[in-house]
Amino acid sequence: MELVIGHSPDPDDAFMFYALKKGLVKAPFRVREFLADIETLNKLAIHERIDVTAVSTHAMAYIGDKYFILRVGASMGLKYGPVVVGNTTRPELVAVPGTYTTATLLVKLAMPNVKIVEIPFDRIMDAVKAGIVDAGALIHEGQITYERYGLKKIIDLGEWWYEETKLPTPLGLDVVRSSLGIDVVRSVNDALLESTRYAMSHREEALAHAMEFSRGLNMGDTDRFVRMYVNEYTMDMGVEGEKAIKALLEIGHERGLLPEPRLLFV
């Protein structure tokens, strides 16, 4: 059996999937890798077009029970997350990296009075610097490099979320199409867990692979970014991680931003 596995071309995802992609851990399936930005993966998952994929937690409100949420592979940060940057403390127009990204939902929750415009994630800093938008929500490596470009933090959405809920920020998840059956879902969960364990125990080797997706980060910055989002919640989101996912989507639903979530965990 061959499974199409989608993930974003970012250091943390590359780090986690390294051993599985290279056949360094055993799995009862073959892997066909599909790389795309997270918003593209969200849209494909909404249409149930990919077997296994990384998705934004926000997107699960629209994906529902079409996919099982794995307990391994989550991208969560405690007291940190996407950062809104700009040159004013009272922005009116904020750039966000896609309709279904978790950063977009967090901006809507934390900054309900601003207007938003979608810009590809890797162009948001340029748009802020050019004055096209007042501020922008940065994901991926922009969270740790924005100061080098002369930009100032307006709000860390992960800090805001923690103050509101005392929970980790549930940014991204790995999911498996539920129509594949529970046995396949569990086999993917086990294989991804082993892949992540391999990367953690062969860090330099896996980081060298992750560097190929680092978009100009040096080794130190790549390691820092990977440590931010490949952590204890990645190995097992646990009760706290599951609670954070449900809380984010339920709050979004209560505020009229999302449909009522229907979630399956495995």
Side-chain angles (χ1 to χ4, degrees), residues 214-225:
S214 64
R215 287 186 289 269
L217 295 182
N218 60 34
M219 179 62 83
D221 284 339
T222 300
D223 189 28
R224 176 186 171 191
F225 183 75

Side-chain angles (χ1 to χ4, degrees), residues 46-63:
I46 288 170
H47 292 287
E48 205 173 352
R49 301 297 297 180
I50 193 164
D51 298 326
V52 181
T53 187
V55 296
S56 300
T57 300
H58 180 190
M60 288 307 302
Y62 303 91
I63 293 169

